Amino acid sequence: MISERTVNIFLFALLPVTVLAAWLLDEPFIITLATKAAILALAGVGLNIALGLGGLVSFGHAAFFGLGGYAMGILASHAQSYAPLMEVPFLIEGTKSMPVIWLVALVTSALAALAIGALSLRTSGVYFIMVTLAFGQMLYYFAISWPAYGGEDGLSIYVRNGFPGLNTLDPVQFFLIAFAVLTVGIFLAWRLARSAFGLALSAARQNAERVETVGLGPYRIRLVAFVISGAMTGLAGALFADLNRFVSPTMFSWHLSGELIVFCILGGVGRLYGPVAGAMLYVLLEHVLGGLSAYWHIYLGLLLLLVVLFARGGLIGLLSGREVAHE
Amino acid sequence: MSTILLIEQVLNGLQSGIMLFLMAAGLTLIFGVMGLINLAHGSLYMVGAFAAAAVAAATGSFVLALVAALVAAAAAGAIIELVVIRRLYDRDHLDQVLATFALILIFSEGTRWVFGSFPLYLDVPAALSGPVTLPGGILYPAYRLLIIAVGLVIAAGLFALIAKTRIGIQIRAGEADREMIAALGVDISKLYTMVFALGAALAGLAGALVGAIQSVQVGMGEPVLILAFVVIVIGGIGSIKGALVGALLVGLTDTLGSVLLPIFFASFMDQSSATAVGSALATMSIYILMAGVLLFKPTGLFGKA
């Protein structure tokens, strides 16, 4: 068995090393795949705060991913057409600047997570799963039926948004942006898990009554965690939309919520690098199996079934044994 | 808006509600008895519809098609219960969600592989394809009326099954205390397989009945599954009565909302923006209903605290 720390260092280094190799071999498509993996990993790291640390099985995180995506799509499409978002009571114009878009994506998805979380966390267990799923679907249908921003067809952005001092059209530079954001996300998740708040959140997962007895409110702790989790997934959504230069209601679809959970599980539930490993494995499988067969979801389904039934520690558990998450 | 149109829409709402009930009843039974959340329930709905469409195309008989839907869905349900689901009863909900999500992937892609990506069509039998005249001179499709009737009969049958029969007693006992009824000599794993197959058969029947109105295609079960979840959250998990009330509420809200909200907004907005706002709000109406129920009764209208 390899220690979890070694596995983590390996996982962390894998993406930049892959990109370096792809850059040397002049394979821009591989760089795009690695960027996709980094962005999906960020979404998974976000979900893992609620799922792994808080034990909140949210089947609606696509809501935040999609909101982040639409934050980018709406702002950039207004900048593209030079039509302001609104003029009264004050002027808001579109923008092509990534940092501004990120901020809007973070705030929007955090607010949505606050509203959805406040309602969903009144329930627990299976109810929580179904309620988060339902709210995610609500936004999905809303995005389809709201004609202003493309409806079912989605929005295309012609040129990728800019980042001060960098050329985002260069695949390597865009990868570095995504990877830097992922690194910050992982660092935050790591700090959070070790902080007093993270300990309280973990405790609320293990024994909510006891947490209440020592004078902490599990509801509020969970709600804060849900908001942080949703915001991080929303940021990933904005980056994902920028990667594709396209946003559509499928970013809200419940398949995406399911896939985000799959990342966490394939990698190893409750482990800091679980979603990173899971997202990389997923992108790899999608690419390799998808190339072999148009019906690759069958194999993905079978693999997932085997992992759930027989290998519950996921990929990291397979490599480093089943000791506790978060060293 | 005329009364006739309103009554028509109420009937449409009833029809979609009663089909939702067939889905939700199975889900809520399976949850109540086995404590399992089954995302693959929508796949069983799809299996029923595809079996019906294939048999109807081969034999031309709608009755045989319905029988095929029941048998195929029940068989598929029994098989996945024996192979996968029974390993999940003792697991947490996360594992159940993931394993049944995996089953959806397998079912959907498997069906696409066998039948292709193009939708199949299942025709309403000729005798039922026309409208009937209801009291008050309302013309309404005979087939949709039949669906409402069939759904009501099945609902009544289900209530009778649960309340009066020996199996019903075992099911209710299984909800209350599974160790105890196992100790009393009831073969609990056989009971579980049976309940699961029963739920699957109901879903398959709903799929076939609705498949004749809409097209039969891969993924058709998923929107219905999510509506059925909303129904269960509103009605309360494990309660058949809750599933019935919730299904009718959701069916009526959804149907009437999409008709009435645009008309309501048109009374003070111009037509095109009223249609946009109205239909966008209508798609959200059932979720708003769900949120309202959650605010006041987090365990649903008929759920146990």
Side-chain angles (χ1 to χ4, degrees), chain A residues 59 122-123 126-127 130-131 133-134 137-138 141-142 145-146 254-255 265 295 297-298 301 305 308-309 312, chain B residues 31 37 91 93 95 97-99 102 104 109 113 222-223 226 229 236-237 280 283-284 287 290 294-295 299:
Chain A
F59 213 114
R122 292 172 62 84
T123 66
V126 195
Y127 276 107
M130 296 197 286
V131 171
L133 174 59
Q137 253 347 70
M138 173 174 95
Y141 287 119
F142 182 76
S145 63
W146 188 252
W254 73 297
H255 281 267
I265 304 308
Y295 307 106
H297 276 111
I298 294 188
L305 210 52
V308 174
L309 293 180
R312 299 176 68 197
Chain B
F31 184 82
I37 172 166
R91 299 291 191 85
H93 295 316
D95 284 356
V97 161
L98 277 161
I104 294 181
E109 290 301 311
W113 190 44
E222 293 166 12
I226 289 157
F229 279 160
I237 297 178
T283 59
M284 298 171 76
Y287 304 102
M290 179 185 81
L294 280 178
L295 274 179
T299 50

Side-chain angles (χ1 to χ4, degrees), chain A residues 289-290 292-301, chain B residues 105-106 108-117:
Chain A
L289 292 178
L292 291 177
S293 155
Y295 307 106
W296 75 281
H297 276 111
I298 294 188
Y299 304 107
L300 178 70
Chain B
L105 295 178
I106 297 170
S108 292
E109 290 301 311
T111 311
R112 204 191 303 279
W113 190 44
V114 175
F115 290 95
S117 293

Side-chain angles (χ1 to χ4, degrees), chain A residues 127, chain B residues 232-236 239 242 245-246 249 293 297-304:
Chain A
Y127 276 107
Chain B
I232 292 178
V233 171
I234 289 176
S239 159
V245 174
L249 268 176
V293 170
K297 296 205 78 172
T299 50
L301 295 175
F302 296 90
K304 297 171 208 104

Side-chain angles (χ1 to χ4, degrees), chain B residues 8 23 27 38 45 109 156 206 208 216 219 272:
Chain B
E8 253 178 44
M23 279 290 281
L27 271 176
N38 178 24
Y45 176 91
E109 290 301 311
V216 175
S272 67

Side-chain angles (χ1 to χ4, degrees), chain A residues 34-276:
Chain A
T35 314
K36 185 177 173 188
I39 294 169
L40 292 178
L42 176 68
V45 170
L47 173 64
N48 208 28
I49 293 173
L51 183 77
L53 207 56
L56 306 169
V57 185
S58 163
F59 213 114
H61 257 53
F64 314 123
F65 196 69
L67 281 173
Y70 269 90
M72 172 275 179
I74 291 173
L75 287 172
S77 74
H78 278 281
Q80 191 167 274
S81 63
Y82 300 102
L85 238 80
M86 57 189 259
E87 286 169 284
V88 277
F90 41 84
L91 182 75
I92 298 181
E93 294 200 62
T95 174
K96 296 283 286 180
S97 156
M98 271 189 203
V100 180
I101 289 173
W102 292 353
L103 190 68
V104 174
L106 280 170
V107 171
T108 320
S109 41
L111 286 176
L114 184 66
I116 294 178
L119 276 167
S120 315
L121 286 167
R122 292 172 62 84
T123 66
S124 61
V126 195
Y127 276 107
F128 183 80
I129 300 173
M130 296 197 286
V131 171
T132 46
L133 174 59
F135 281 126
Q137 253 347 70
M138 173 174 95
L139 289 174
Y140 173 70
Y141 287 119
F142 182 76
I144 284 185
S145 63
W146 188 252
Y149 294 106
E152 204 163 351
D153 300 329
L155 278 173
S156 282
I157 303 302
Y158 306 127
V159 182
R160 187 171 286 153
N161 297 306
F163 192 91
L166 289 172
N167 173 17
T168 54
L169 298 178
D170 174 24
V172 176
Q173 295 193 30
F174 186 62
F175 167 78
L176 289 176
I177 292 174
F179 188 69
V181 178
L182 172 65
T183 309
V184 173
I186 293 175
F187 177 74
L188 281 178
W190 176 69
R191 290 291 305 176
L192 189 97
R194 302 186 138 204
S195 68
F197 173 77
L199 292 177
L201 180 62
S202 246
R205 179 189 77 225
Q206 289 158 12
N207 192 333
E209 284 81 14
R210 198 167 284 179
V211 171
E212 227 161 342
T213 321
V214 298
L216 296 167
Y219 178 82
R220 276 180 63 183
I221 296 173
R222 287 181 179 139
L223 186 56
V224 172
F226 196 74
V227 170
I228 297 173
S229 164
M232 201 180 280
T233 303
L235 178 60
L239 280 166
F240 191 75
D242 236 331
L243 172 70
N244 300 324
R245 275 165 283 159
F246 177 63
V247 45
S248 76
T250 48
M251 281 184 73
F252 281 116
S253 90
W254 73 297
H255 281 267
L256 206 127
S257 299
E259 279 161 14
L260 292 180
I261 301 183
V262 169
F263 300 158
C264 296
I265 304 308
L266 277 184
V269 201
R271 297 186 193 253
L272 184 60
Y273 277 77
V276 182

